């Protein structure tokens, strides 16, 4: 896996941010710069859509989502990203711990999901700095998602 990371500097940078910022990243209400940099609600929706297509095509991890209600997943992920980036949304889904309980997600699975998110954002032309800011906001969720 690490040989692939050497060939993908934006992914390396994103993973570095995840490790470095771990549980320290958050969002202050009213700080919607990241939300705006992603293109507001339409931009967040485009990221989620591109990300879900990548997840569906990734044989390493798509089995984790085989029984997922894709419409709900899409809607709740848009809410979550909107809220985490300072947008006007309130996440109304289950906690990350409850949502991922029993899925058996390990570090390799988590890294594959991050890779797909980075590739989705890159495919949409989102700047690496904006990507890293989003990943930093998502980093605290790591502990509630990994089970083994």
């Amino acid at each position: 896996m690490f040989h692939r990371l050497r060939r993908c500097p934006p992914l390396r940078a994103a993973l570095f941010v995840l490790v470095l910022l771990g549980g320290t990243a958050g969002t202050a209400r009213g700080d919607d710069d990241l939300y705006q940099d992603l293109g507001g609600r339409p931009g967040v929706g485009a990221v989620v859509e591109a990300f879900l297509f990548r997840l569906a095509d990734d044989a390493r991890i798509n089995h984790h989502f085989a029984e997922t209600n894709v419409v709900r997943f899409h809607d709740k992920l848009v809410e979550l990203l909107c809220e985490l980036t300072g947008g006007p949304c309130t996440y109304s889904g289950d906690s990350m711990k409850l949502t991922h309980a029993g899925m058996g997600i390990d570090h390799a699975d988590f890294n594959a999901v991050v890779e797909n998110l980075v590739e989705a954002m890159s495919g949409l032309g989102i700047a690496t700095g904006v990507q890293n800011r989003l990943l930093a906001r998502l980093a605290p969720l790591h502990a509630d998602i990994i089970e083994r």
Side-chain angles (χ1 to χ4, degrees):
M1 175 176 165
F2 292 110
H3 66 280
R4 286 189 306 187
L5 293 178
R6 282 189 213 107
R7 292 191 317 240
C8 187
L11 180 58
R12 274 199 341 236
L15 292 174
F16 175 74
V17 169
L18 283 174
V19 171
L20 182 66
L21 297 178
T24 64
T27 182
R29 282 286 181 204
D31 173 26
D32 71 348
D33 288 348
L34 180 54
Y35 178 73
Q36 296 305 325
D37 288 346
L38 288 168
R41 184 82 178 222
V44 170
V47 167
V48 169
E49 191 168 310
F51 173 59
L52 293 182
F53 277 111
R54 288 188 177 278
L55 287 181
D57 289 340
D58 190 336
R60 297 173 297 172
I61 55 173
N62 60 11
H63 61 278
H64 287 297
F65 305 97
E67 302 298 319
T68 301
N69 175 334
V70 177
V71 173
R72 177 175 165 73
F73 184 27
H74 176 277
D75 292 347
K76 295 306 165 196
L77 190 52
V78 168
E79 279 182 10
L80 178 67
L81 295 183
C82 176
E83 180 178 310
L84 286 176
T85 60
C89 308
T90 301
Y91 176 66
S92 63
D94 295 327
S95 71
M96 291 298 106
K97 192 163 206 69
L98 181 61
T99 298
H100 297 90
M103 291 179 72
I105 296 173
D106 62 19
H107 292 281
D109 297 329
F110 185 84
N111 290 340
V113 169
V114 171
E115 181 181 327
N116 280 284
L117 179 58
V118 168
E119 289 175 358
M121 290 189 290
S122 294
L124 293 170
I126 296 171
T128 301
V130 175
Q131 292 179 31
N132 288 342
R133 287 169 41 220
L134 175 58
L135 293 172
R137 301 253 176 116
L138 292 169
L141 304 178
H142 177 268
D144 290 338
I145 295 171
I146 301 291
E147 287 190 319
R148 47 187 175 123

